[in-house]
Amino acid sequence: DGGITQSPKYLFRKEGQNVTLSCEQNLNHDAMYWYRQDPGQGLRLIYYSQIVNDFQKGDIAEGYSVSREKKESFPLTVTSAQKNPTAFYLCASSHWDSHNYGYTFGSGTRLTVV
Amino acid sequence: GNSVTQMEGPVTLSEEAFLTINCTYTATGYPSLFWYVQYPGEGLQLLLKATKADDKGSNKGFEATYRKETTSFHLEKGSVQVPDSAVYFCALRASGGSYIPTFGRGTSLIVHP
């Protein structure tokens, strides 16, 4: 079955460390997105990418970095510059025709600073 | 810019009660509208969608009608059950160039036995 796989499900980061969250899709979707969700809050867009080797900053890109070397993969690195990284991170993807088909989400990665 | 406004939660209901979660939007043109559901600790799942005015999306007993005259897409269910307890997000995908979705803040639904 096609879908989006996020790993790991839980991740612990020490102060000053960079960590990378994985996001892989086998839906042949063109666009991919990263969102951050804090308790009781909505979704905030971190980065998005429409095509391979191209991506744009979202509303809260500071302290994060991404790459899009393959259509299927869109990993997110949370750098030490992100001062409050504890949150639930969601990856999503969409067909170019998201107008009709909407967006598909992964099951999320919960990141905790220890 | 585009925006989605949802009613504040939590919405607390007894089993078999009628559910309405209000959603209004601001967008130019003819956006597509979506409802997503998020169960605890999980990602968002597409619940239903409507792509043009007067369309009714429906799934699992939930319904929403795209009302362009009132710029609304209210979610309804005739008889909620305990497993419906979740957070519900209204979203739009604008017509035209931008493919980035706009989400509401989410509305938590709690259903008691």
Side-chain angles (χ1 to χ4, degrees), chain A residues 9 31 33 35 37 40-43 45 48-50 56 88 90 94 96-108 110, chain B residues 30-34 36 38 41-46 49-51 87 89 92-96 98-101 103-106:
Chain A
K9 191 167 179 66
Y33 316 80
Y35 290 92
Q37 187 177 31
Q41 301 297 311
L43 305 175
L45 183 64
Y48 59 100
S49 167
Q50 189 176 19
Q56 282 76 44
F88 190 51
L90 287 163
S94 67
W96 65 269
D97 188 14
S98 56
H99 196 70
N100 283 313
Y101 295 102
Y103 305 84
T104 303
F105 282 80
S107 57
R110 186 166 300 281
Chain B
Y30 297 88
S32 290
L33 301 172
F34 308 92
Y36 282 83
Q38 184 180 32
E42 298 183 10
L44 278 67
Q45 301 174 26
L46 180 63
K49 64 180 172 70
T51 59
V87 180
F89 291 89
L92 70 83
R93 195 281 202 189
S95 57
S98 176
Y99 57 92
I100 308 302
F103 286 90
R105 291 174 60 89

Side-chain angles (χ1 to χ4, degrees), chain B residues 59-89:
Chain B
N59 186 23
K60 299 180 182 179
F62 291 90
E63 293 182 339
T65 301
Y66 188 162
R67 301 285 189 200
K68 186 150 180 71
E69 64 275 14
T70 54
T71 61
S72 65
F73 193 54
H74 304 322
L75 183 68
E76 297 182 335
K77 187 175 185 183
S79 176
V80 293
Q81 304 298 314
V82 171
D84 293 327
S85 299
V87 180
Y88 292 82
F89 291 89

Side-chain angles (χ1 to χ4, degrees), chain A residues 54-68:
Chain A
D54 188 50
F55 48 83
Q56 282 76 44
K57 295 180 179 180
D59 302 318
I60 57 164
E62 185 174 351
Y64 300 97
S65 66
V66 294
S67 62
R68 188 89 187 275

Side-chain angles (χ1 to χ4, degrees), chain A residues 2-64:
Chain A
I4 296 183
T5 301
Q6 289 188 242
S7 62
K9 191 167 179 66
Y10 299 97
L11 187 57
F12 298 90
R13 192 194 93 166
K14 293 182 179 178
E15 296 280 352
Q17 270 187 341
N18 292 352
V19 290
T20 298
L21 284 60
S22 171
C23 178
E24 303 276 335
Q25 55 99 358
N26 60 2
L27 298 163
N28 199 31
H29 282 174
D30 305 287
M32 298 187 74
Y33 316 80
W34 274 106
Y35 290 92
R36 170 178 172 143
Q37 187 177 31
D38 293 284
Q41 301 297 311
L43 305 175
R44 292 187 287 172
L45 183 64
I46 304 173
Y47 269 98
Y48 59 100
S49 167
Q50 189 176 19
I51 58 173
V52 174
N53 293 322
D54 188 50
F55 48 83
Q56 282 76 44
K57 295 180 179 180
D59 302 318
I60 57 164
E62 185 174 351
Y64 300 97

